[in-house]
Amino acid sequence: MSADVRAQITALGASMFTRRLTHGRTGNISARTGDGFLITPTGSSLAALSTRELSLVGLDGDHLSGPRPSKEAFLHAAFYRARPHAGAVVHLHSTYSVAVSCHDGLDPDDVLPPLTAYYVMRVGRLPMLPYHAPGDSALGPLAEQAARNAHALLLANHGPIVAAPDLAAAADIVEELEETARLWLLLRDRPTRPLTPAQVTDLYARYSPDIHHDRKRNTT
């Protein structure tokens, strides 16, 4: 097993905890390896992960070795099955994204407007899945289906989960999502000027395939 991947998971967990992108014993991080993925164990704080104590899970969701995995490992497995080129998945309970996920009247097909170029480039479209209790495996098939067309999802009353080619890219995406959620909440009662459909299309033309997603925002 790659020691480098283990070190990257633990370093990213500590960084996210220090910057309050997660808290307590919430959130989980994984990276694909061989026919499965390494994931943070259940009940662990991302602030104090050990490279020796990560869980190995198969793409079918079966626990293969190591400590008992996060109870949300099935969501990571769903993303890896839906997105064969994904190399990492990050799920957080980050404050502003969770706050957005508790709002009523959101468009479940695309929760946040394109407020900035970097949101379009890194997140693009953000579907929201209906509430399920943490660890409820009934959410797995819904996540797998949605992840085929979107690399970032928001779980209602819960938090964001994103996939990317590697851990660094996944961190970029989930952090951009959190900052955009914060902006949206700050601007909620003020007139806003999101990017126009033409400006969004221009970003795809300029930066594709560098943009970390594979489905253009609906501009009709």
Side-chain angles (χ1 to χ4, degrees), residues 24-115:
R25 298 185 181 186
T26 64
N28 30 79
I29 300 171
S30 70
R32 191 192 291 265
T33 176
D35 294 328
F37 56 94
L38 286 168
I39 188 169
T40 50
T42 189
S44 61
S45 167
L46 296 190
L49 297 172
S50 166
T51 56
R52 299 185 303 276
E53 296 181 355
L54 297 175
S55 309
L56 181 63
V57 177
L59 294 182
D60 56 4
D62 285 347
H63 179 201
L64 302 178
S65 66
R68 191 156 59 95
S70 164
K71 60 179 171 291
E72 289 164 337
F74 70 94
L75 285 175
H76 293 245
F79 263 80
Y80 288 122
R81 290 193 301 268
R83 306 187 70 81
H85 299 296
V89 175
V90 174
H91 167 52
L92 299 178
H93 297 181
S94 46
T95 302
Y96 296 103
S97 297
V98 173
V100 170
S101 82
C102 296
H103 266 263
D104 194 17
L106 299 173
D107 177 0
D109 291 326
D110 198 3
V111 173
L112 291 172
L115 293 176

Side-chain angles (χ1 to χ4, degrees), residues 133-147:
D136 183 352
S137 61
L139 184 58
L142 299 180
E144 186 169 352
Q145 181 177 2

